[in-house]
Amino acid sequence: TENPAQLFGRAVQFHQAGQFNEAGALYQRILDINPDLAEVHCNLGSVQNNLGDNAAAERSHRRAIALKPGYADAHGNLGNVLSDLGRLDEAIACYRQALTHNPEDANIHNSLGSALQKLDRHGEAIASFEAALALKPGFAEAHGNLGISLKETDRPAGALASYQRALALRPDFAEAHCNLGNALKDLGRLDDAAACYRRARSPSV
C-alpha cells in the first residue's frame, strides 16, 4: 500500500491537471488513513468547490481551519466558497481573517475586493485591489476589477487606464475588452467602443 505522502503527491498532480474526481478520491483515501491533516482537508475543499459541491467544500475548509486556525489558504478558500453561495458578509470576514495570517497574498486582497464590489462598497474594494496590485503589479484581473470600481465611483479616466493595463497584461481578457468598450462609450468614443466589443467576442483578434 502507498503511504499518505505518496498518495498526496499523486492527488496534487491530478488536482493541478484539473482531474478533480480522481484528486478528490485520493484526498479522501488519505483522510481515511489520517483525518487530522489540515492541508488535505483544504485541498479536498478546493476540489469540491471546483466540482460545484459548495456544501462539502465549506465543511472541508472549516475542518482544515479547526485543525490549523492560522491557515491562510483555508480561510481564503472558505471565503471563495461563501462568495459563490452569495454569503458575501461571511466571505469578507474570511478574507480578512486570511489576510491577518498572510497579508502578502495578492489573490486574497483581490478576492476581498471582488466581494466588497458585489456589495457596492467600492471605496473599500478599490483599496483592496490597490493592495493586490502593490504586491503583484502584473495581476491582470485585479487591474480589471479596479477599473470596474473606478467606473462605479465616477472616475472614467482611471477606469479606462485600469482596463488598458489589464489588457496589456492579458490580451485575451474578454471581460476587460467589454468593460473598456463601456468606458469608451461613456466618453462618447463610439467607434473605439465598437472595436472593443468586437474583440470581446473574439479576443484573439
Side-chain angles (χ1 to χ4, degrees):
T1 57
E2 291 172 293
N3 65 37
Q6 288 169 319
L7 286 172
F8 187 70
R10 276 181 47 219
V12 169
Q13 283 179 324
F14 280 128
H15 193 163
Q16 290 171 339
Q19 293 172 265
F20 299 124
N21 287 309
E22 293 87 345
L26 285 177
Y27 290 137
Q28 196 56 65
R29 266 176 65 193
I30 298 165
L31 292 171
D32 291 340
I33 299 166
N34 180 353
D36 294 333
L37 300 169
E39 283 81 2
V40 181
H41 283 288
C42 185
N43 284 14
L44 177 60
S46 296
V47 163
Q48 289 162 331
N49 196 29
N50 279 308
L51 292 169
D53 191 347
N54 290 330
E58 181 180 351
R59 283 195 298 277
S60 292
H61 291 312
R62 289 195 189 282
R63 183 83 192 109
I65 291 164
L67 290 163
K68 190 174 165 187
Y71 194 175
D73 284 351
H75 286 287
N77 288 345
L78 179 57
N80 294 339
V81 173
L82 294 169
S83 182
D84 288 346
L85 291 167
R87 290 156 60 185
L88 294 170
D89 288 318
E90 290 175 76
I92 287 165
C94 288
Y95 294 136
R96 293 201 196 284
Q97 191 69 39
L99 290 168
T100 64
H101 300 299
N102 183 9
E104 304 291 296
D105 191 322
N107 288 314
I108 294 175
H109 283 288
N110 182 57
S111 297
L112 172 59
S114 294
L116 291 162
Q117 189 175 69
K118 287 176 189 159
L119 293 171
D120 290 328
R121 289 163 62 178
H122 292 290
E124 292 169 87
I126 287 166
S128 291
F129 298 135
E130 287 176 341
L133 291 165
L135 291 162
K136 190 173 162 188
F139 194 169
E141 286 79 2
H143 283 293
N145 286 335
L146 176 59
I148 293 167
S149 280
L150 289 170
K151 181 179 185 295
E152 292 297 327
T153 49
D154 297 319
R155 287 183 260 179
L160 204 63
S162 290
Y163 298 141
Q164 286 166 334
R165 271 198 289 277
L167 288 165
L169 292 159
R170 229 185 89 192
D172 64 345
F173 193 174
E175 189 187 356
H177 280 295
C178 193
N179 289 332
L180 177 58
N182 291 339
L184 290 164
K185 188 178 72 180
D186 290 347
L187 292 168
R189 292 168 56 185
L190 301 182
D191 291 341
D192 292 340
C196 287
Y197 294 139
R198 279 196 294 277
R199 277 195 289 275
R201 282 203 298 277
S202 51
S204 56
V205 177

